[in-house]
């Protein structure tokens, strides 16, 4: 089975802190994704990566950056956390175009 | 840009009954993929069912089936013999052939009443 893991289930951070959310997949998937999920808004794509060191902006990249130094790991970085970044963050991966995306369990981030 | 609309924010169904969740989408493409994902409370999002637009036949996975109406751009999910474990948030999603990101609807929260 595909396994996508995220480093934390819950995080509490202060405004202005730098926040790292880590995602690891164990199936040698090419593509990895970061979404945020908010009530009434569904899932919105922040960034995705189709290869090591490659990244593409999604629909809402402002205030975020990403890093993919190794194929299995895709990090989401909040350079200076703000209260409007309080959300559930979901990581996903898939092998190739058209393939099913597999999701991690999510990280619920609270920024105070 | 493609959009996905789920017009029912919340639905409920009695255990053992059948429920249909609606999804419509907007696209100018002729080939694409459609998905239904399930997110149980505090649990991982998982794929329920997928449909390739070029296939006429509606996809089925056990108690889950879809009614894919390409001309109407409609992709509804039918859950038969509903079980308590079906209670979850359900997301409809679209993906073009040429790109990997999914476009999600806003979700439908399904409650199952014992």
């Amino acid at each position: 089975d595909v396994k996508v893991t995220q480093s934390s289930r819950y995080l509490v951070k202060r405004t202005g802190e730098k926040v790292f959310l880590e995602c690891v997949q164990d199936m040698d998937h090419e593509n990895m994704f970061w979404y945020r999920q908010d009530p009434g808004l569904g899932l919105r794509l922040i960034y995705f990566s189709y290869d090591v060191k490659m990244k593409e902006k999604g629909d809402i990249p402002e205030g975020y950056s990403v890093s993919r130094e190794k194929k299995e790991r895709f990090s989401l970085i909040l350079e200076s956390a703000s209260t409007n970044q309080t959300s559930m963050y979901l990581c996903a991966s898939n092998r190739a175009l058209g393939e099913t995306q597999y999701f991690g369990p999510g990280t619920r981030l609270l920024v105070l | 840009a493609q959009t996905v609309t789920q017009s029912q924010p919340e639905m409920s169904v009695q255990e053992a009954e059948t429920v249909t969740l609606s999804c419509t989408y907007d696209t100018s493409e002729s080939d694409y993929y459609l998905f239904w994902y399930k997110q149980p409370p505090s649990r991982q999002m998982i794929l329920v069912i997928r449909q390739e637009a070029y296939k006429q036949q509606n996809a089925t996975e056990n108690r889950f089936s879809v009614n894919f109406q390409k001309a109407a751009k409609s992709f509804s999910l039918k859950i038969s013999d509903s079980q308590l474990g079906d209670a979850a948030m359900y997301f409809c999603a679209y993906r073009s052939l040429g790109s990997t990101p999914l476009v999600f609807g806003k979700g439908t929260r399904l409650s199952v009443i014992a």
Side-chain angles (χ1 to χ4, degrees), chain A residues 29-105:
Chain A
H29 282 175
E30 301 293 328
N31 307 307
M32 297 187 74
F33 309 83
W34 275 107
Y35 297 90
R36 65 176 282 177
Q37 180 182 4
D38 300 288
L41 297 178
L43 275 74
R44 293 178 291 168
L45 181 66
I46 305 171
Y47 269 97
F48 68 101
S49 168
Y50 51 88
D51 201 353
V52 175
K53 296 191 185 293
M54 305 301 287
K55 61 184 180 184
E56 291 284 342
K57 291 181 180 179
D59 300 319
I60 51 164
E62 297 79 17
Y64 304 94
S65 62
V66 291
S67 171
R68 193 161 179 209
E69 296 296 319
K70 294 184 178 180
K71 192 175 186 180
E72 67 271 19
R73 187 180 299 269
F74 191 36
S75 302
L76 180 69
I77 303 154
L78 288 65
E79 295 289 342
S80 177
S82 63
T83 54
N84 63 12
Q85 293 178 309
T86 291
S87 187
M88 169 72 92
Y89 291 87
L90 295 174
C91 175
S93 71
N94 69 359
R95 190 166 58 102
L97 287 175
E99 296 277 331
T100 299
Q101 285 192 14
Y102 294 89
F103 284 83

Side-chain angles (χ1 to χ4, degrees), chain A residues 3-5 9-10 31 33 35 37-38 40-45 48 50 59 88 90 94 96-106, chain B residues 1 6 9 33 35 37 39 41-48 50 52 89 91 95-107 109:
Chain A
K3 194 169 182 182
V4 181
T5 57
R9 291 300 301 271
Y10 301 95
N31 307 307
F33 309 83
Y35 297 90
Q37 180 182 4
D38 300 288
L41 297 178
L43 275 74
R44 293 178 291 168
L45 181 66
F48 68 101
Y50 51 88
D59 300 319
M88 169 72 92
L90 295 174
N94 69 359
L97 287 175
E99 296 277 331
T100 299
Q101 285 192 14
Y102 294 89
F103 284 83
Chain B
Q6 293 178 250
Y33 301 94
F35 304 83
Y37 278 88
Q39 186 181 40
S42 301
R43 291 180 62 188
Q44 214 140 335
M45 178 121 57
I46 57 172
L47 178 70
V48 175
R50 63 178 272 166
E52 289 86 356
M89 197 77 171
F91 291 96
R95 178 162 61 227
S96 303
L97 283 186
S99 67
T100 53
L102 292 168
V103 178
F104 284 89
K106 293 182 179 181
R109 185 174 300 281

Side-chain angles (χ1 to χ4, degrees), chain B residues 55-66:
Chain B
K55 289 187 177 177
Q56 301 278 0
Q57 191 171 7
N58 288 327
T60 299
E61 286 288 339
N62 300 313
R63 296 182 295 107
F64 297 87
S65 61
V66 297

